[in-house]
């Protein structure tokens, strides 16, 4: 079955090092944040396929909310209900565990991440990590809970108690090492049209805040592309400009990505520079934008203004004609 998966993974995460891209690990995980303030618990839960959120958890009904039509993967309703029941029991039990057994006092925040990750393209490895007040508290490996050094005595006590329950450890192990990996494969398959979609980037240039007198910061914006791997470089002819600085990938609300690449140059050296963008959606036709060349958006605005002026002038002529024609008969009538 993993053999079937490999071509899918290759399609999902194209672009090796040669293209300046990178491989993202395939993972599915659930993030839970629980806060206990003023004697009241608040729980938030979400499910993620890598960097894409696929599920939310309705904390008042305990129901899983599926964010995409394919978020059910290939699990039956019964299996999904079993998962809901599991999370419900788990949330109820853990509330008591932290308060009455570990004696945590009002108020504290708890973060849990549990899931599975594909390692070296063949085996899924399950993981579970718990943090309290933003510090690592304990983790789960090989069916055993391990305290984190920063967790102190409370973490040691928590692990001691949890490790005494083989049934709970086995359930967690089964969840992250069997159920989640099967669910992940089903998700990758059910969502492949969406996950393998190709969305072309748009690019535009601007100048940023001047780094020093006599210098320009050239900014190349690339936005709206999917999947994430992209190559953006300032070029002088065929020469890559090593001073190009890439920003962080920022997510757009529609699931596509934004990236900018900047270059600091002396004012006289900007001529002939171009920003070059390579992306799998472009089918080898790189986007190339020349610094100083007229931008298309400006050209369009200019065109729109000309058209509007022409229309207004036309309207003016027509109105003048209309009124002169109207006036003629009425004055003739008055003269009678
Ligand atoms: C804490 O909860 C009590 C009742 O549950 C409420 O009356 C009080 O206003 C709450 N305090 C704060 C600071 O929210
Ligand atoms: C969550 O559950 C509550 C109670 O069942 C319901 O009223 C609410 O509409 C649900 N919210 C969402 C986003 O499904
Ligand atoms: C987990 O168990 C396997 C075999 O049961 C062992 O090879 C591995 O070293 C263990 N890993 C840890 C972190 O204890
Ligand atoms: C879902 O698909 C995965 C991968 O193809 C498979 O291992 C699994 O048996 C399928 N069904 C269920 C219910 O997990």
């Amino acid at each position: 079955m993993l053999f079937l998966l490999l071509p899918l993974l290759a399609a999902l995460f194209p672009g090796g090092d040669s293209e300046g891209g990178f491989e993202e690990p395939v993972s599915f995980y659930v993030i839970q944040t629980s806060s206990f303030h003023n004697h009241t618990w608040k729980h938030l839960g979400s499910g993620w396929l890598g960097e894409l959120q696929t599920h939310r958890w309705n904390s008042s009904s305990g129901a899983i909310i599926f964010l995409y039509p394919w978020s059910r993967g290939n699990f039956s309703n019964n299996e999904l209900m079993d998962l809901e029941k599991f999370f419900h029991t788990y949330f109820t039990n853990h509330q008591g565990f932290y308060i009455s057994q570990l004696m945590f006092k009002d108020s504290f925040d708890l973060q849990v991440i549990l899931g599975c990750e594909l390692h070296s393209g063949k085996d899924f490895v399950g993981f579970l990590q718990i943090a309290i007040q933003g510090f690592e508290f304990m983790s789960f490996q090989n069916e055993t809970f391990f305290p984190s050094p920063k967790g102190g005595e409370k973490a040691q006590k928590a692990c001691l108690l949890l490790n005494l329950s083989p049934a709970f450890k086995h359930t967690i192990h089964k969840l992250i090492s069997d159920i989640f990996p099967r669910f992940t494969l089903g998700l990758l398959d059910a969502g492949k049209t969406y996950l393998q979609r190709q969305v072309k980037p748009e690019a535009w240039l601007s100048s940023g805040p001047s780094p020093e007198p006599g210098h320009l910061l050239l900014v190349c914006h690339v936005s709206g592309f999917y999947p994430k791997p992209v190559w953006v470089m300032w070029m002088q002819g065929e020469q890559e400009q090593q001073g190009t600085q890439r920003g962080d990938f920022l997510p757009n609300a529609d699931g596509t990505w934004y990236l900018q690449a900047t270059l600091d140059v002396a004012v006289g050296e900007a001529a002939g520079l171009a920003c070059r963008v390579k992306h799998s959606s472009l089918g080898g036709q790189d986007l190339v934008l020349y610094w100083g060349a007229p931008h298309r958006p400006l050209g369009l605005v200019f065109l729109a203004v000309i058209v509007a002026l022409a229309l207004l002038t036309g309207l003016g002529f027509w109105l003048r004609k209309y009124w002169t024609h109207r006036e003629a008969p009425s004055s003739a009538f008055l003269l009678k």
Side-chain angles (χ1 to χ4, degrees):
M1 188 189 39
L2 277 169
F3 291 106
L4 285 177
L5 179 66
L6 288 178
L8 177 60
L9 295 182
L12 268 178
F13 305 110
D17 283 332
S18 56
E19 269 226 275
F22 47 85
E23 305 253 332
E24 283 179 75
V26 173
S27 58
F28 178 78
Y29 50 94
V30 168
I31 297 179
Q32 171 216 334
T33 57
S34 293
S35 57
F36 187 66
H37 290 279
N38 195 18
H39 308 286
T40 315
W41 280 99
K42 279 214 179 75
H43 301 296
L44 286 176
S46 53
W48 298 77
L49 181 62
E51 293 178 303
L52 179 72
Q53 187 182 352
T54 46
H55 301 82
R56 238 193 353 251
W57 189 66
N58 184 336
S59 57
S60 39
S61 65
I64 299 172
I65 301 168
F66 300 92
L67 298 181
Y68 293 95
W70 46 269
S71 291
R72 293 167 181 273
N74 61 351
F75 274 30
S76 65
N77 284 342
N78 279 343
E79 283 171 296
L80 293 169
M81 268 159 58
D82 284 347
L83 277 177
E84 278 177 355
K85 268 188 226 146
F86 168 81
F87 282 112
H88 182 75
T89 321
Y90 160 78
F91 275 114
T92 320
N93 290 343
H94 99 163
Q95 294 189 175
F97 181 70
Y98 288 96
I99 305 286
S100 49
Q101 296 197 267
L102 297 183
M103 307 288 185
F104 270 98
K105 297 276 182 292
D106 210 294
S107 54
F108 66 97
D109 294 294
L110 184 81
Q111 292 163 283
V112 182
I113 177 163
L114 76 162
C116 61
E117 186 172 61
L118 191 68
H119 276 219
S120 45
K122 53 189 208 327
D123 296 314
F124 276 99
V125 176
F127 58 85
L128 165 64
Q129 277 162 356
I130 298 181
I132 292 186
Q133 306 295 46
F135 290 109
E136 285 173 29
F137 186 71
M138 61 181 171
S139 61
F140 184 77
Q141 278 155 22
N142 273 7
E143 295 201 49
T144 311
F145 283 93
F146 291 95
S148 303
K150 283 186 182 139
E153 281 177 18
K154 280 191 169 29
Q156 290 182 1
K157 181 170 179 197
C159 293
L160 203 68
L161 290 171
L162 292 174
N163 286 332
L164 284 174
S165 167
F168 182 63
K169 287 190 294 183
H170 185 70
T171 307
I172 295 284
H173 179 72
K174 181 155 191 249
L175 183 69
I176 60 181
S177 314
D178 171 41
I179 299 176
F180 274 11
R182 270 194 296 121
F183 186 63
T184 309
L185 294 176
L187 264 187
L188 288 172
D189 189 48
K192 72 175 171 247
T193 313
Y194 184 81
L195 297 167
Q196 293 179 19
R197 75 199 193 282
Q198 293 282 333
V199 189
K200 286 185 185 170
E202 280 183 39
W204 66 96
L205 306 179
S206 73
S207 54
S210 168
E212 53 182 296
H215 274 239
L216 270 178
L217 189 67
L218 313 187
V219 188
C220 179
H221 307 258
V222 186
S223 186
F225 54 91
Y226 187 91
K228 195 175 182 185
V230 70
W231 184 95
V232 185
M233 187 63 81
W234 279 98
M235 313 280 295
Q236 180 66 264
E238 289 302 306
Q239 191 74 41
E240 294 178 11
Q241 300 300 293
Q242 297 307 328
T244 302
Q245 303 268 349
R246 251 163 76 139
D248 293 329
F249 281 89
L250 303 177
N252 286 324
D254 62 357
T256 63
W257 293 97
Y258 169 92
L259 181 73
Q260 68 180 36
T262 56
L263 183 68
D264 172 5
V265 289
V267 169
E269 286 166 12
L273 283 168
C275 173
R276 187 170 205 118
V277 181
K278 293 175 193 278
H279 187 258
S280 52
S281 65
L282 296 169
Q285 303 268 318
D286 300 354
L287 283 180
V288 183
L289 283 87
Y290 288 91
W291 182 256
H295 303 181
R296 205 182 315 148
L298 262 188
L300 280 182
V301 169
F302 190 61
L303 188 69
V305 169
I306 300 256
V307 169
L309 277 179
L311 284 176
L312 277 177
T313 320
L315 188 67
F317 273 120
W318 182 79
L319 279 177
R320 261 175 69 172
K321 263 187 154 163
Y322 179 79
W323 285 114
T324 24
H325 278 254
R326 260 182 69 115
E327 263 164 32
S330 52
S331 36
F333 171 77
L334 280 178
L335 279 176
K336 255 196 198 166

